[in-house]
């Protein structure tokens, strides 16, 4: 392995490579499944990254594809072993898309996002997060999953800040709509503490906050909140996550993620960042009124 990777990237690289190997050699999925004594659905799930594959199965599959390079065989078997590592999110009651997103998030070298309605989850205080999870909001947006999103958010934050304090901190670029800063979620004390937290986090060297002003008018972010992850090197494409009350969507197709990359770049260049963003957050803090 030329560089360390986690289970999410290992799985993505492995299933992509195995599918490309089969297709390049002209094998049909049904023929390969039959020779491996698998159901075709198992092969499909492996090639789509839905399930992991054991190292010994990888070796057998590579023999079928006539891959004789021992270094390459070991590399792909290593990816298989890494992809099967268990992390905390695998035990949570989350959609598969959300689990995969959290896995990618924990390995991303760059975390980007546009937030039109609320403070980014990774930067929320516990009180702000609790206010967002209030019964009034749940009535408007039914939560039928039974999952503890507040606890999951806390664990994601711990992972991020551990990485920010580490030797290879990720870059964090969040674009926040100005309206989010003016919406007093949880009341005066909760929102004041949340804005103070944003100001403190923005002082970290690899964290950049951008405020998208209301006066900007129509822009690409009006399509809604999304998060985009990028990875070190040139091996892996961006991943985009879109969360809705009904479904979660994880996009890995480059033709689709490129659209969100362009939107993100436009928002970061059009919004207020650095000291200007800090001043906007401070102004919103001063405008808060005690209830």
């Amino acid at each position: 392995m030329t560089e360390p990777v986690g289970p999410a990237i290992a799985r993505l690289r492995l299933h992509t490579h195995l599918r490309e190997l089969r297709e390049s050699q002209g094998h049909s999925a049904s023929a390969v499944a039959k020779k491996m004594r698998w159901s075709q659905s198992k092969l499909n799930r492996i090639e789509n990254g839905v399930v992991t594959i054991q190292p010994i199965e990888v070796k057998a599959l590579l023999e079928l594809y006539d891959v004789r390079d021992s270094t390459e065989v070991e590399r792909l078997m290593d990816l298989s072993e890494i992809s099967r590592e268990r992390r905390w999110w695998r035990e949570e009651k989350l959609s598969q898309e959300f689990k995969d997103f959290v896995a990618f998030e924990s390995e991303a070298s760059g975390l980007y996002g546009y937030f039109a309605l609320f403070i980014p989850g990774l930067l929320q205080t516990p009180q702000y997060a609790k206010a967002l999870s209030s019964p009034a909001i749940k009535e408007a947006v039914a939560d039928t999953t039974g999952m503890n999103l507040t606890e999951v958010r806390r664990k994601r934050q711990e992972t991020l800040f551990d990485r920010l304090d580490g030797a290879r901190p990720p870059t964090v670029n969040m674009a926040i709509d100005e309206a989010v800063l003016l919406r007093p979620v949880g009341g005066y004390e909760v929102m004041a503490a949340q804005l103070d937290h944003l100001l403190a986090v923005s002082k970290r060297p690899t964290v950049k906050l951008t405020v998208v002003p209301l006066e900007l008018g129509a822009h690409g972010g009006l399509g809604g909140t999304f998060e985009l992850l990028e990875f070190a090197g040139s091996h892996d494409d961006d991943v985009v996550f879109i969360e809705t009350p009904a479904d979660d969507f994880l996009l890995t197709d480059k033709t689709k993620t490129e659209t969100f990359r362009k939107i993100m770049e436009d928002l970061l260049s059009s919004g207020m960042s650095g000291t200007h963003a800090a001043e906007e957050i401070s102004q919103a803090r001063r405008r808060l009124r005690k209830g």
Side-chain angles (χ1 to χ4, degrees):
M1 304 291 288
T2 58
E3 61 186 64
V5 297
I9 291 299
R11 183 187 294 199
L12 178 62
R13 290 184 184 179
L14 181 60
H15 79 70
T16 299
H17 190 69
L18 291 178
R19 183 179 65 249
E20 290 175 347
L21 266 178
R22 178 182 60 77
E23 292 176 345
S24 67
Q25 295 186 13
H27 297 301
S28 68
S30 59
V32 170
K34 184 176 181 180
K35 290 181 179 180
M36 291 293 294
R37 296 180 180 270
W38 293 342
S39 66
Q40 186 172 334
S41 63
K42 175 177 178 175
L43 180 61
N44 290 339
R45 292 196 300 272
I46 290 171
E47 292 188 347
N48 291 327
V50 177
V51 297
T52 59
I53 178 174
Q54 296 181 38
I56 192 66
E57 292 178 311
V58 170
K59 186 176 182 180
L61 199 55
L62 294 177
E63 288 177 358
L64 177 62
Y65 296 153
D66 199 30
V67 176
R68 304 300 180 186
D69 185 335
S70 60
T71 300
E72 177 70 353
V73 172
E74 285 297 318
R75 183 183 76 85
L76 294 173
M77 290 178 69
D78 284 344
L79 286 177
S80 170
E81 188 169 354
I82 294 170
S83 74
R84 294 171 62 81
E85 292 177 6
R86 303 293 292 183
R87 301 291 176 89
W88 64 263
W89 52 81
R90 293 297 170 193
E91 310 305 322
E92 299 291 336
K93 295 180 180 179
L94 305 167
S95 71
Q96 187 60 51
E97 289 79 5
F98 196 91
K99 287 182 180 181
D100 289 342
F101 166 67
V102 174
F104 282 122
E105 181 182 71
S106 71
E107 300 174 32
S109 60
L111 288 74
Y112 296 79
Y114 170 64
F115 296 84
L117 301 175
F118 46 78
I119 299 296
L122 291 173
L123 305 182
Q124 292 175 9
T125 64
Q127 294 77 17
Y128 184 95
K130 182 178 180 180
L132 281 179
S133 303
S134 68
I137 295 176
K138 285 189 175 182
E139 288 177 7
V141 182
D143 177 10
T144 58
T145 61
M147 58 181 118
N148 187 347
L149 290 177
T150 301
E151 178 64 12
V152 170
R153 187 182 295 112
R154 183 188 66 78
K155 291 180 179 179
R156 289 172 60 206
Q157 290 174 346
E158 285 183 355
T159 299
L160 172 63
F161 282 93
D162 283 346
R163 297 182 67 207
L164 288 175
D165 291 333
R168 301 173 64 184
T171 58
V172 179
N173 287 269
M174 301 295 182
I176 305 172
D177 196 274
E178 182 183 2
V180 173
L181 305 178
L182 304 177
R183 184 174 296 114
V185 173
Y188 171 81
E189 292 185 358
V190 170
M191 194 63 194
Q194 175 63 75
L195 294 177
D196 288 341
H197 180 61
L198 281 185
L199 288 170
V201 172
S202 69
K203 295 178 182 178
R204 286 179 171 264
T206 61
V207 176
K208 177 182 177 182
L209 301 183
T210 298
V211 177
V212 181
L214 294 173
E215 64 184 23
L216 184 61
H219 57 76
L222 294 181
T225 293
F226 66 90
E227 296 176 68
L228 181 147
L229 306 174
E230 69 177 10
F231 304 91
S234 58
H235 295 288
D236 312 294
D237 295 329
D238 294 342
V239 169
V240 170
F241 181 68
I242 303 171
E243 184 178 10
T244 75
D247 289 296
D248 297 329
F249 300 92
L250 188 70
L251 308 179
T252 57
D253 186 331
K254 189 173 183 179
T255 60
K256 296 179 180 179
T257 61
E258 281 182 342
T259 298
F260 290 91
R261 165 66 70 172
K262 179 62 167 59
I263 292 173
M264 196 74 242
E265 291 174 349
D266 289 345
L267 289 171
L268 293 178
S269 63
S270 301
M272 296 173 285
S273 59
T275 57
H276 298 293
E279 179 55 29
E280 284 298 312
I281 297 171
S282 297
Q283 283 189 22
R285 172 71 166 81
R286 291 192 291 268
R287 289 173 62 178
L288 283 174
R289 296 181 180 181
K290 294 185 177 181

